[in-house]
Amino acid sequence: MPNVNRRNLLLGAAALSTAAAVVAVSPAAHAAPTSLEEAIAACHRAEQTYVSTAARENAIADALGDKLFPKWTPPGGLSSIWSHHPKAFRSSGDLEAEIARKKAQVDESWASSCMDRAGYNRWMSGITSAETEGLTSLREQEAVIHASGHHDAMQQADDAIAVWNTAFQALIRHPCMTMAEVRAKAAALIHGYGALGVAVDDVEFIACLSSFCGEG
């Protein structure tokens, strides 16, 4: 299956309006085409849908700006449980996992008598601060992103490019019966290859060559 990098897709190459309405991905888009003309048309429709959904995702991302990238950095210093120069956390899930890991370490040290009460209280205080301040901050930032509709828009764009990729695969294998069909298919494949950003493997290459000989 081709490796798709939709983040690097050049939307301008599609020559479609970024103000186009978002088109819902229909299950019918997965139906096998019965003619080359239909296969090419399916690719074109899938491309239009993707460009529309990606435009919406990009518009929301632009409106969010730096808010799209949550960030919370624990306090550092020689006495910090997070190290002298702590790394920034980008999601509440990552911070929760690290808090759980550090709690387990502190509890193990306390249970094995490798830590006195003062040390235990100091480390646990740092962990509690991360829970009350860090998790609250990250969750608030994540709530802003969720409310913006960015997650839904990103999922729609992911779904749309999956449909486009499926349509492109069907086009690769669809047989040609005339020289006019060979030329039409070649043009569509060249466009799709550049716009979709795919890497065609050996099996697909042979399937494509066979299709030009009228073999499906």
Side-chain angles (χ1 to χ4, degrees):
M1 187 177 202
N3 296 316
V4 178
N5 187 349
R6 71 179 185 80
R7 300 297 179 185
N8 292 334
L9 182 71
L10 300 178
L11 297 180
L16 296 172
S17 171
T18 56
V22 174
V23 182
V25 176
S26 168
H30 296 282
T34 58
S35 69
L36 179 63
E37 182 179 16
E38 183 181 331
I40 293 174
C43 277
H44 181 63
R45 288 193 303 271
E47 180 179 357
Q48 287 180 311
T49 300
Y50 169 70
V51 172
S52 296
T53 55
R56 176 171 177 258
E57 178 191 349
N58 291 337
I60 295 174
D62 288 344
L64 285 171
D66 289 341
K67 293 179 181 179
L68 184 59
F69 309 102
K71 179 181 179 181
W72 181 77
T73 304
L78 295 177
S79 61
S80 173
I81 194 173
W82 303 98
S83 81
H84 187 54
H85 295 291
K87 70 171 186 176
F89 288 89
R90 297 291 183 175
S91 76
S92 59
D94 287 345
L95 179 55
E96 283 180 311
E98 184 60 17
I99 286 173
R101 190 182 72 83
K102 288 190 179 302
K103 273 186 175 180
Q105 287 181 326
V106 172
D107 287 339
E108 183 179 353
S109 295
W110 171 253
S112 61
S113 300
C114 294
M115 180 181 293
D116 59 18
R117 171 59 69 177
Y120 179 84
N121 290 339
R122 183 173 68 254
W123 295 137
M124 290 303 296
S125 175
I127 292 173
T128 300
S129 294
E131 288 179 311
T132 56
E133 298 173 17
L135 286 179
T136 297
S137 175
L138 286 169
R139 285 169 179 164
E140 287 176 349
Q141 294 176 70
E142 290 166 347
V144 170
I145 298 172
H146 180 76
S148 74
H150 184 263
H151 293 314
D152 290 340
M154 184 168 61
Q155 185 60 58
Q156 288 178 352
D158 286 341
D159 292 344
I161 203 165
V163 172
W164 185 8
N165 185 53
T166 298
F168 188 78
Q169 291 298 299
L171 178 59
I172 284 178
R173 290 169 170 76
H174 203 285
C176 297
M177 299 303 176
T178 67
M179 281 305 300
E181 288 191 344
V182 169
R183 287 192 290 269
K185 175 173 175 174
L189 287 177
I190 290 170
H191 169 78
Y193 180 85
L196 185 57
V198 297
V200 179
D201 62 27
D202 294 344
V203 174
E204 291 158 345
F205 180 67
I206 295 300
C208 184
L209 290 181
S210 298
S211 72
F212 286 129
C213 299
E215 300 175 9

